[in-house]
Amino acid sequence: MNSPYKYPFLDPLTHQIGSTQLSKSHIVHSISEREKLEMASSTAGQVIRCRAAVAWEAGKPLVIEEVEVAPPQAMEVRVKILYTSLCHTDVYFWEAKGQTPLFPRIFGHEAGGVVESVGEGVSDLKPGDHVLPVFTGECKDCAHCKSEESNMCDLLRINVDRGVMIGDGQSRFSINGKPIYHFVGTSTFSEYTVIHVGCLAKINPLAPLDKVCVLSCGISTGLGATLNVAKPKKGSSVAVFGLGAVGLAAAEGARIAGASRIIGVDLNPKRFEEAKKFGVTEFVNPKDHDKPVQEVIAEMTDGGVDRSVECTGNINAMISAFECVHDGWGVAVLVGVPHKDAEFKTHPMNVLNERTLKGTFFGNYKPRTDLPNVVEKYMNKELELEKFITHQVPFSEINKAFEYMLNGDGLRCIINMEA
């Protein structure tokens, strides 16, 4: 059927696909995607010129440039990015605080887009598929990918220092023949980007990309830390250290799990009111007490919380998160990344008294296998994402997103790549 709609079986009067009601905005969005899909046949195998926000120097404002994006090679996919958001990790490496500086570079790793073309050997994605790029991957062949207990792929595990594609060691971005470096294999601050197929999660095409794009990093990390690793039981108590986006996602996980007490711990009291939207029931500011916060929490909970999730990366908060869980059954989960020289110190009796300490990476989600199911939680209204999104800016004003984050203003800023 030669139809202008992506969904030719859409009832034009009811706006339904079977029993699924679609909004007019979704229909318009779908038409534009159909047009992009038709355009893909003319761009496949060709260099695409598009806009990208290039970081030329550490800490300097990004510059919107016209870049050339090469076609995908073996096991690679070229993706049209529609929406992206800014994560603390982008800011951290843009400031060059965490690595040997590598510039010029295109940052960005939380995003949603549509497949434009695929390289040789790619069989499970095709042009028009909706995808979430992920900073870590799932090759499905290594020991980690085959294990039900791990998501730390040997081949595609995050590498913040590599600025080229893993297949041939070359960049797919250039300006006047000069290569521009990639970031964590995604580089979503570009209208088009090239990503290894193992770092793309194919999702429900009805899911709004301007909402679910936030699931490709921080929100899934916090949510999974609670649901997949801490695993609180219904009616249990949970302490969350750090009430930024990741910590609030951990609180959201505790809410979904049915925790009866969710204690938020943060040094910034301005975050407490916002945290109530995510199920947080009580708040502790360590600065308000003259004793260690783990002792305060133990007194509040008759010996300690059942579960704790640490989302700051501060080594003292990590120790407090472990020592505040109840002996006998308490489980503490570490999410935040500490300073490379930090040392975790606690008395051995805290372990011998049957407290459990765990770590997690991307919430223990396997990107390709599990992320589509997280999207379905949102589609089924089990998971609320709108409350994480506090700002929206057009791509031309991407530096405003950096300003919001540097000022501690809001949680997630969505960047509309087509504006």
Side-chain angles (χ1 to χ4, degrees), residues 73-84:
Q73 300 303 304
M75 303 307 293
E76 296 174 1
V77 179
R78 189 159 58 187
V79 177
K80 166 69 173 176
I81 300 297
L82 297 179
Y83 298 94
T84 187

PDB file of all heavy atoms in Angstrom, residues 73-84:
ATOM      1  N   GLN A  73      30.230   1.186   9.069  1.00  0.00           N
ATOM      2  CA  GLN A  73      31.009   0.039   8.593  1.00  0.00           C
ATOM      3  C   GLN A  73      30.433  -1.240   9.209  1.00  0.00           C
ATOM      4  O   GLN A  73      29.335  -1.226   9.771  1.00  0.00           O
ATOM      5  CB  GLN A  73      32.476   0.239   8.946  1.00  0.00           C
ATOM      6  CG  GLN A  73      33.082   1.488   8.325  1.00  0.00           C
ATOM      7  CD  GLN A  73      32.963   1.524   6.812  1.00  0.00           C
ATOM      8  OE1 GLN A  73      33.419   0.603   6.127  1.00  0.00           O
ATOM      9  NE2 GLN A  73      32.328   2.565   6.274  1.00  0.00           N
ATOM     10  N   ALA A  74      31.162  -2.335   9.127  1.00  0.00           N
ATOM     11  CA  ALA A  74      30.671  -3.621   9.615  1.00  0.00           C
ATOM     12  C   ALA A  74      30.234  -3.535  11.070  1.00  0.00           C
ATOM     13  O   ALA A  74      30.960  -2.976  11.911  1.00  0.00           O
ATOM     14  CB  ALA A  74      31.744  -4.693   9.452  1.00  0.00           C
ATOM     15  N   MET A  75      29.044  -4.041  11.362  1.00  0.00           N
ATOM     16  CA  MET A  75      28.459  -4.086  12.698  1.00  0.00           C
ATOM     17  C   MET A  75      28.193  -2.700  13.280  1.00  0.00           C
ATOM     18  O   MET A  75      28.090  -2.539  14.485  1.00  0.00           O
ATOM     19  CB  MET A  75      29.327  -4.916  13.661  1.00  0.00           C
ATOM     20  CG  MET A  75      29.574  -6.335  13.203  1.00  0.00           C
ATOM     21  SD  MET A  75      28.028  -7.221  12.823  1.00  0.00           S
ATOM     22  CE  MET A  75      27.287  -7.358  14.449  1.00  0.00           C
ATOM     23  N   GLU A  76      28.043  -1.707  12.419  1.00  0.00           N
ATOM     24  CA  GLU A  76      27.748  -0.350  12.864  1.00  0.00           C
ATOM     25  C   GLU A  76      26.414   0.114  12.296  1.00  0.00           C
ATOM     26  O   GLU A  76      25.924  -0.406  11.284  1.00  0.00           O
ATOM     27  CB  GLU A  76      28.856   0.616  12.430  1.00  0.00           C
ATOM     28  CG  GLU A  76      30.212   0.328  13.064  1.00  0.00           C
ATOM     29  CD  GLU A  76      31.313   1.205  12.511  1.00  0.00           C
ATOM     30  OE1 GLU A  76      31.058   2.066  11.646  1.00  0.00           O
ATOM     31  OE2 GLU A  76      32.468   1.026  12.956  1.00  0.00           O
ATOM     32  N   VAL A  77      25.847   1.126  12.928  1.00  0.00           N
ATOM     33  CA  VAL A  77      24.551   1.677  12.534  1.00  0.00           C
ATOM     34  C   VAL A  77      24.638   3.199  12.551  1.00  0.00           C
ATOM     35  O   VAL A  77      25.203   3.783  13.481  1.00  0.00           O
ATOM     36  CB  VAL A  77      23.447   1.212  13.519  1.00  0.00           C
ATOM     37  CG1 VAL A  77      22.095   1.810  13.135  1.00  0.00           C
ATOM     38  CG2 VAL A  77      23.364  -0.315  13.577  1.00  0.00           C
ATOM     39  N   ARG A  78      24.100   3.827  11.506  1.00  0.00           N
ATOM     40  CA  ARG A  78      24.020   5.284  11.530  1.00  0.00           C
ATOM     41  C   ARG A  78      22.620   5.675  11.971  1.00  0.00           C
ATOM     42  O   ARG A  78      21.622   5.191  11.426  1.00  0.00           O
ATOM     43  CB  ARG A  78      24.354   5.880  10.160  1.00  0.00           C
ATOM     44  CG  ARG A  78      24.504   7.404  10.199  1.00  0.00           C
ATOM     45  CD  ARG A  78      25.315   7.946   9.021  1.00  0.00           C
ATOM     46  NE  ARG A  78      24.738   7.601   7.725  1.00  0.00           N
ATOM     47  CZ  ARG A  78      25.327   7.848   6.553  1.00  0.00           C
ATOM     48  NH1 ARG A  78      26.512   8.452   6.527  1.00  0.00           N
ATOM     49  NH2 ARG A  78      24.739   7.506   5.426  1.00  0.00           N
ATOM     50  N   VAL A  79      22.550   6.552  12.948  1.00  0.00           N
ATOM     51  CA  VAL A  79      21.289   6.890  13.598  1.00  0.00           C
ATOM     52  C   VAL A  79      21.012   8.384  13.468  1.00  0.00           C
ATOM     53  O   VAL A  79      21.908   9.222  13.653  1.00  0.00           O
ATOM     54  CB  VAL A  79      21.320   6.507  15.100  1.00  0.00           C
ATOM     55  CG1 VAL A  79      20.029   6.911  15.806  1.00  0.00           C
ATOM     56  CG2 VAL A  79      21.567   5.008  15.255  1.00  0.00           C
ATOM     57  N   LYS A  80      19.769   8.706  13.136  1.00  0.00           N
ATOM     58  CA  LYS A  80      19.295  10.083  13.172  1.00  0.00           C
ATOM     59  C   LYS A  80      18.822  10.360  14.586  1.00  0.00           C
ATOM     60  O   LYS A  80      17.856   9.757  15.072  1.00  0.00           O
ATOM     61  CB  LYS A  80      18.137  10.259  12.187  1.00  0.00           C
ATOM     62  CG  LYS A  80      17.332  11.550  12.345  1.00  0.00           C
ATOM     63  CD  LYS A  80      18.097  12.775  11.949  1.00  0.00           C
ATOM     64  CE  LYS A  80      17.180  14.011  11.956  1.00  0.00           C
ATOM     65  NZ  LYS A  80      17.935  15.259  11.663  1.00  0.00           N
ATOM     66  N   ILE A  81      19.535  11.219  15.316  1.00  0.00           N
ATOM     67  CA  ILE A  81      19.174  11.543  16.690  1.00  0.00           C
ATOM     68  C   ILE A  81      18.064  12.600  16.674  1.00  0.00           C
ATOM     69  O   ILE A  81      18.199  13.653  16.050  1.00  0.00           O
ATOM     70  CB  ILE A  81      20.394  12.070  17.477  1.00  0.00           C
ATOM     71  CG1 ILE A  81      21.503  11.005  17.519  1.00  0.00           C
ATOM     72  CG2 ILE A  81      19.979  12.471  18.895  1.00  0.00           C
ATOM     73  CD1 ILE A  81      21.125   9.731  18.239  1.00  0.00           C
ATOM     74  N   LEU A  82      16.972  12.310  17.360  1.00  0.00           N
ATOM     75  CA  LEU A  82      15.854  13.249  17.432  1.00  0.00           C
ATOM     76  C   LEU A  82      15.846  14.039  18.735  1.00  0.00           C
ATOM     77  O   LEU A  82      15.545  15.229  18.747  1.00  0.00           O
ATOM     78  CB  LEU A  82      14.528  12.505  17.261  1.00  0.00           C
ATOM     79  CG  LEU A  82      14.335  11.809  15.905  1.00  0.00           C
ATOM     80  CD1 LEU A  82      12.990  11.096  15.867  1.00  0.00           C
ATOM     81  CD2 LEU A  82      14.424  12.812  14.768  1.00  0.00           C
ATOM     82  N   TYR A  83      16.167  13.359  19.829  1.00  0.00           N
ATOM     83  CA  TYR A  83      16.218  14.019  21.131  1.00  0.00           C
ATOM     84  C   TYR A  83      17.417  13.479  21.905  1.00  0.00           C
ATOM     85  O   TYR A  83      17.732  12.289  21.846  1.00  0.00           O
ATOM     86  CB  TYR A  83      14.949  13.754  21.949  1.00  0.00           C
ATOM     87  CG  TYR A  83      13.699  14.284  21.301  1.00  0.00           C
ATOM     88  CD1 TYR A  83      12.907  13.477  20.501  1.00  0.00           C
ATOM     89  CD2 TYR A  83      13.313  15.626  21.480  1.00  0.00           C
ATOM     90  CE1 TYR A  83      11.767  13.971  19.888  1.00  0.00           C
ATOM     91  CE2 TYR A  83      12.174  16.129  20.872  1.00  0.00           C
ATOM     92  CZ  TYR A  83      11.404  15.294  20.076  1.00  0.00           C
ATOM     93  OH  TYR A  83      10.287  15.791  19.474  1.00  0.00           O
ATOM     94  N   THR A  84      18.069  14.373  22.621  1.00  0.00           N
ATOM     95  CA  THR A  84      19.153  13.954  23.502  1.00  0.00           C
ATOM     96  C   THR A  84      19.042  14.756  24.790  1.00  0.00           C
ATOM     97  O   THR A  84      18.342  15.771  24.842  1.00  0.00           O
ATOM     98  CB  THR A  84      20.532  14.144  22.828  1.00  0.00           C
ATOM     99  OG1 THR A  84      21.559  13.577  23.644  1.00  0.00           O
ATOM    100  CG2 THR A  84      20.829  15.615  22.584  1.00  0.00           C
TER     101      THR A  84
END
